[in-house]
Amino acid sequence: MKFWQKLVAVFIGVCMLAVQLPVSAGESDAPDITAEAAIIIETSTGRVIWEKNADERLYPASMTKMMTGILALEQLNMRSEIMMSREAAYTESSSLGVLAGERIRTDELLNGMLLESDNGAAVALGEAMAGSVTAFAGVMNGKAAELDMKDTHFVNPNGLTEKGHYSTARDMAKLARYAMENKAFREIVCQPQRTIHWTSPHTKIFHAHNTNKLLEKYEGMTGIKTGWTQAAGGCLAVGAKRDGVELIVVLMKTPTPDDRFSDAKKLLDYGFEHVRMVKGISQEKGYRKVWVTNGQQASTKLYPARDINYPLINGEDKSKYSIRYEVPKIVEAPLKAGTPVGKIVVSYNGKDVEHVDMLADDVSSGFSIGSWLVKMFSWAIRLV
């Protein structure tokens, strides 16, 4: 009898484990797709919902421009002008038509690159940041390392096929997730179309259309970036949001350009069917009190930058989520409201999955008895 009880217990345990693990390709309800590699992640945590050959190194094609785009937003003045070099102007598949020697504002060039997938625009942006394509590839690889993109190596800023230029679905999902945290990037890639202007030496316009055919056709679509070359096949990174759940799908090497869109719809549908969001901690209840030195008050409150909700994948248990506060015990005035001071770390089953900034209230510098006492006894406070 004991043997059968143990056997049943093991069986139940295996079943419970299966419920809590992300589904991989080949399981009974896995989406039927043409892509050689693919992944679905939940955006707020980056947790994997489903994957297929997600660590296979493949050509990423123009999904590469996500890296060029986010670096441009982080490093360049969007209102400055870029003069188109001969190398940039004569790069293949440069549909905007900015000629060598012409000047165009950085934000216009960036929009043209991300919507129309202009290869020359990517070269021009890379040159503006690092002086040359080769030097900029080094910047890209440095950022890739920062984002823990372990199976990625960039050679150019646009994704044209070159030896040594590769990535994986998993790494591209990390990049897409990071880029979509940038408000300006998110606003660009969700545009169905935009008129690109440049005025030097003559006024010109180009009507750019987003190459992402799912925009305005798939409910909740938020972007992100297409890719296609003969060697890479169809590549696509897309995001969508419904009922508080936001997903990112990356797929690589579909047989035809249209297959990437039909595959993405299947993967997004699958993801939304297998994830639900539950309430975690609100901004109002997630505050922490900290002491203040050199201020007009002795203490202040830090608040989460946003409400924290928990994605449950394949029927997971909310109780496996936990949080910890990584905030200082003492802060120094002045502090401007909204200044990040520490963070909340969200974990699932003991693994860190999300960081949320803790933001300060407005704290003016000055003098108060309480703040003076905090400074006097700061050594003791830190020991508590």
Side-chain angles (χ1 to χ4, degrees):
M1 185 66 178
K2 289 183 178 180
F3 170 78
W4 289 108
Q5 287 175 335
K6 288 180 180 179
L7 189 61
V8 170
V10 169
F11 176 76
I12 292 173
V14 169
C15 290
M16 291 297 291
L17 181 63
V19 166
Q20 294 171 12
L21 289 175
V23 179
S24 297
E27 298 198 15
S28 58
D29 66 339
D32 181 19
I33 60 172
T34 66
E36 187 167 316
I39 194 168
I40 312 170
I41 66 169
E42 191 281 318
T43 305
S44 67
T45 61
R47 295 186 61 211
V48 176
I49 300 163
W50 183 89
E51 63 184 82
K52 172 187 176 183
N53 301 329
D55 296 309
E56 182 178 352
R57 292 180 176 181
L58 298 166
Y59 292 121
S62 285
M63 291 193 300
T64 299
K65 296 184 179 93
M66 293 189 292
M67 178 63 86
T68 304
I70 192 61
L71 285 171
L73 286 166
E74 292 176 349
Q75 297 188 16
L76 295 177
N77 178 350
M78 289 294 109
R79 301 188 69 82
S80 65
E81 285 192 336
I82 291 176
M83 186 174 76
M84 208 71 170
S85 69
R86 289 184 63 83
E87 182 179 359
Y90 292 111
T91 302
E92 65 178 278
S93 300
S94 298
S95 53
L96 291 180
V98 185
L99 302 178
E102 290 185 335
R103 292 182 175 274
I104 181 170
R105 213 168 72 174
T106 302
D107 59 343
E108 297 283 355
L109 196 60
L110 176 62
N111 275 270
M113 180 192 75
L114 289 174
L115 269 68
E116 194 70 26
S117 203
D118 187 282
N119 289 324
V123 170
L125 289 166
E127 290 173 339
M129 283 181 271
S132 70
V133 165
T134 301
F136 183 60
V139 176
M140 298 170 77
N141 289 322
K143 190 68 173 183
E146 180 184 319
L147 298 178
D148 195 34
M149 297 169 65
K150 297 177 180 178
D151 290 295
T152 295
H153 186 262
F154 295 114
V155 176
N156 62 57
N158 48 36
L160 289 173
T161 304
E162 285 192 63
K163 184 179 179 181
H165 190 99
Y166 58 81
S167 189
T168 66
R170 191 182 312 281
D171 279 359
M172 283 287 115
K174 291 177 182 179
L175 174 58
R177 181 183 174 224
Y178 175 79
M180 290 296 277
E181 290 174 351
N182 185 293
K183 182 181 177 183
F185 185 95
R186 182 181 281 264
E187 288 175 349
I188 292 171
V189 297
C190 73
Q191 300 172 106
Q193 58 189 23
R194 178 186 172 116
T195 300
I196 308 300
H197 300 82
W198 63 104
T199 57
S200 177
H202 307 292
T203 300
K204 293 185 177 181
I205 62 172
F206 180 89
H207 298 294
H209 293 82
N210 200 317
T211 54
N212 180 359
K213 293 182 179 180
L214 295 181
L215 277 171
E216 298 186 309
K217 294 182 179 179
Y218 187 88
E219 181 187 350
M221 178 60 48
T222 57
I224 309 172
K225 189 69 194 76
T226 61
W228 166 264
T229 66
Q230 287 295 332
C235 297
L236 184 62
V238 290
K241 187 173 184 178
R242 293 182 184 174
D243 300 323
V245 175
E246 187 167 8
L247 305 177
I248 286 174
V249 161
V250 173
L251 52 90
M252 303 178 75
K253 205 166 187 179
T254 63
T256 73
D258 286 340
D259 286 335
R260 55 190 167 164
F261 299 114
S262 56
D263 278 1
K265 288 172 64 176
K266 292 177 184 178
L267 292 169
L268 287 168
D269 287 346
Y270 178 91
F272 285 122
E273 289 171 3
H274 286 75
V275 182
R276 67 185 182 92
M277 220 67 166
V278 295
K279 289 184 178 180
I281 300 168
S282 67
Q283 285 182 297
E284 293 76 15
K285 294 183 178 180
Y287 71 87
R288 276 296 182 268
K289 181 178 177 180
V290 295
W291 299 106
V292 176
T293 62
N294 300 324
Q296 296 180 16
Q297 60 200 71
S299 66
T300 188
K301 290 179 180 178
L302 307 178
Y303 292 89
R306 55 176 172 78
D307 293 343
I308 298 174
N309 295 317
Y310 302 141
L312 301 183
I313 302 170
N314 298 322
E316 290 172 339
D317 184 356
K318 178 184 175 181
S319 67
K320 291 186 179 292
Y321 276 99
S322 62
I323 64 166
R324 70 177 184 274
Y325 290 85
E326 294 185 357
V327 297
K329 293 182 178 180
I330 301 172
V331 297
E332 184 175 356
L335 277 176
K336 186 178 180 181
T339 302
V341 183
K343 60 190 176 184
I344 293 178
V345 179
V346 181
S347 299
Y348 182 79
N349 210 18
K351 181 180 180 181
D352 295 351
V353 294
E354 183 179 10
H355 296 167
V356 178
D357 285 338
M358 292 289 282
L359 307 180
D361 268 345
D362 191 64
V363 180
S364 300
S365 59
F367 175 82
S368 68
I369 293 294
S371 183
W372 178 79
L373 289 170
V374 169
K375 189 170 185 177
M376 286 291 293
F377 294 101
S378 60
W379 61 272
I381 293 172
R382 290 190 174 96
L383 290 175
V384 175

